[in-house]
Amino acid sequence: MKAFDLQYLIRDNVKGLQPYSSARDEYVSDGSEMVFLDANENPFENGVNRYPDPQQRSLKAILAEQKNVQTSNILLGNGSDEVLDLLFRAFCEPQKDNVITLPPTYGMYKVLCGINHIENREVLLTPDFQPNWEGIQEKSDGNSKLLFLCSPNNPTGNSIDANIITKILKEFKGLVVIDEAYIDFSPEASWVSRLAEFPNLVVTQTLSKAYGMAGIRLGICYASTAIIGVLNKIKPPYNVNELTQQRAISRVADHEKVLQEVAQIKRDRDQLMETLHKVPFVSQIYPTDANFVLAKVDDANLRYQQLLEKGIVVRNRTTQPLCEDTLRFTIGTPAENEKLTTALKTML
Ligand SMILES: *Cc1c(COP(=O)(O)O)cnc(C)c1O
């Protein structure tokens, strides 16, 4: 196996870049009272009249402590969507490089391929929704810069087998991006604790799901200091706004509350699965480590419409490979789940 070479993966134009140095980058507070006349801001206080910290130091400090990494292993973005886009822009040369994705999976990887003009080489998951390693080997070459593993996977809900992930991390020559958007609902350990072992490992997380903050847009990337350094060169200087930083800090600091909500959602998920077992038109319920359940029904388009008419919006995944006639149910509040349960029981 060829040794991992980060320099080889970086786009040529990015190698030479220096990050934009903002006013707030050049002056780092030592805590003493200062007069800020450096950034052309309006001086009258309203809570958001100053530019936000471009390096989000306070938020990263809490995350670093909770996840047992250094702040230099963290990059924050305007949702994981921005973090994923930065990975494309740092490592994938348009019309030349390619990425490996494993459908059925999160749709954003393909969208980002389109936006960045990068070839998307798809290797279907196996029927039990695990990576097909032989297929991945066949489709990858020296220009395969990124491979996306979503675990727990959206829309199937299962976790990717840790042995297969280890194999891919050891053998794949590009970066392996493990999207852990649903990790807080899973009994599996996060790969964040394995960063030191695998120089090509990138883990993304988000405050949009378990943390209940989809509206503030905060995505997190954990990787080696070297990889984070590359992403920092191309990120917009003020990509995480002040309100988001403040709200994220107070939520992340209240870890107990998040754990309680996650525990409730997991209990309600198990209950919904029991209900689904009793619904005559549901033929299969897939194992899930996430806050949603994928189920196979007799006619997904029909059942989707019937639920809509009862005021319930679920996700119809029937067009996804290996997901014919499946619906994806997100776990709601107990009252919402009750509505869904009642609706399912009365549908013919
Ligand atoms: C919901 C989701 C995200 C979240 O993206 P944000 O931009 O952080 O809201 C990321 N990855 C997967 C697989 C998801 O399902």
Side-chain angles (χ1 to χ4, degrees):
M1 193 191 85
K2 187 170 123 280
F4 174 72
D5 182 2
L6 183 63
Q7 287 307 308
Y8 171 80
L9 297 179
I10 304 170
R11 282 174 67 184
D12 284 336
N13 69 311
V14 173
K15 272 182 204 157
L17 284 180
Q18 287 299 318
Y20 170 73
S21 184
S22 68
R24 287 299 126 76
D25 274 318
E26 287 174 13
Y27 173 77
V28 178
S29 167
D30 63 359
S32 49
E33 192 82 2
M34 302 298 281
V35 174
F36 289 104
L37 305 177
D38 56 347
N40 301 344
E41 298 148 329
N42 179 325
F44 301 107
E45 277 298 335
N46 62 18
V48 288
N49 59 312
R50 299 293 177 184
Y51 278 99
D53 176 3
Q55 289 303 327
Q56 310 100 17
R57 294 176 190 85
S58 308
L59 177 52
K60 280 185 190 168
I62 304 180
L63 289 169
E65 197 193 318
Q66 286 187 0
K67 305 284 174 173
N68 198 22
V69 297
Q70 303 297 310
T71 54
S72 58
N73 297 120
I74 305 176
L75 176 119
L76 302 178
N78 183 19
S80 336
D81 291 347
E82 184 185 37
V83 167
L84 297 170
D85 187 57
L86 287 173
L87 286 164
F88 273 88
R89 287 163 50 200
F91 298 104
C92 301
E93 194 66 42
Q95 304 188 67
K96 177 169 163 241
D97 290 332
N98 66 77
V99 306
I100 309 285
T101 63
L102 315 180
T105 193
Y106 185 44
M108 225 23 225
Y109 314 136
K110 187 178 196 169
V111 170
L112 289 168
C113 283
I115 292 170
N116 289 289
H117 212 164
I118 303 299
E119 185 191 349
N120 177 24
R121 296 195 177 169
E122 300 188 320
V123 183
L124 272 197
L125 292 174
T126 61
D128 60 346
F129 301 139
Q130 292 296 331
N132 166 5
W133 171 239
E134 272 84 51
I136 293 171
Q137 278 177 307
E138 274 165 33
K139 288 242 177 140
S140 9
D141 58 25
N143 291 107
S144 302
K145 297 294 189 70
L146 308 172
L147 184 155
F148 290 95
L149 290 172
C150 187
S151 186
N153 187 40
N154 180 5
T156 58
N158 64 296
S159 298
I160 304 296
D161 187 307
N163 292 318
I164 302 178
I165 296 185
T166 305
K167 176 146 193 85
I168 294 173
L169 280 166
K170 285 183 177 158
E171 303 279 337
F172 186 71
K173 305 289 188 291
L175 298 183
V176 177
V177 182
I178 306 183
D179 184 335
E180 292 189 338
Y182 301 97
I183 192 66
D184 301 282
F185 302 103
S186 169
E188 299 281 320
S190 164
W191 287 81
V192 169
S193 61
R194 312 286 297 273
L195 286 179
E197 280 168 73
F198 303 107
N200 59 339
L201 170 60
V202 175
V203 181
T204 63
Q205 295 183 358
T206 177
L207 296 198
S208 296
K209 306 288 158 59
Y211 282 79
M213 305 203 104
I216 70 169
R217 312 304 301 128
L218 198 282
I220 310 164
C221 177
Y222 299 98
S224 70
T225 300
I227 294 172
I228 296 298
V230 176
L231 298 176
N232 266 324
K233 290 211 279 187
I234 63 165
K235 87 168 184 70
Y238 303 112
N239 62 329
V240 181
N241 72 67
E242 179 63 29
L243 298 175
T244 293
Q245 292 190 42
Q246 289 175 9
R247 289 293 292 268
I249 287 167
S250 48
R251 181 67 165 164
V252 171
D254 195 3
H255 197 224
E256 273 306 312
K257 183 86 197 306
V258 177
L259 291 179
Q260 274 171 23
E261 290 177 11
V262 166
Q264 160 112 46
I265 290 167
K266 287 200 290 191
R267 281 196 301 273
D268 295 346
R269 174 185 71 193
D270 295 343
Q271 209 180 339
L272 176 67
M273 288 175 89
E274 273 181 38
T275 304
L276 287 171
H277 274 292
K278 295 181 206 139
V279 176
F281 58 80
V282 172
S283 56
Q284 197 172 354
I285 300 151
Y286 296 90
T288 177
D289 288 338
N291 65 332
F292 56 82
V293 181
L294 188 75
K296 198 184 256 312
V297 297
D298 53 352
D299 181 343
N301 294 329
L302 170 72
R303 301 306 178 184
Y304 175 81
Q305 276 305 328
Q306 288 179 325
L307 284 168
L308 266 192
E309 281 155 23
K310 292 174 185 292
I312 299 170
V313 189
V314 301
R315 194 87 157 115
N316 184 354
R317 296 283 73 189
T318 193
T319 59
Q320 299 298 300
L322 307 175
C323 295
E324 291 89 321
D325 280 320
T326 59
L327 297 177
R328 193 191 67 194
F329 302 94
T330 304
I331 308 306
T333 64
E336 290 169 339
N337 301 332
E338 190 56 43
K339 259 194 181 168
L340 173 64
T341 300
T342 306
L344 289 170
K345 283 177 178 163
T346 54
M347 280 159 56
L348 300 168

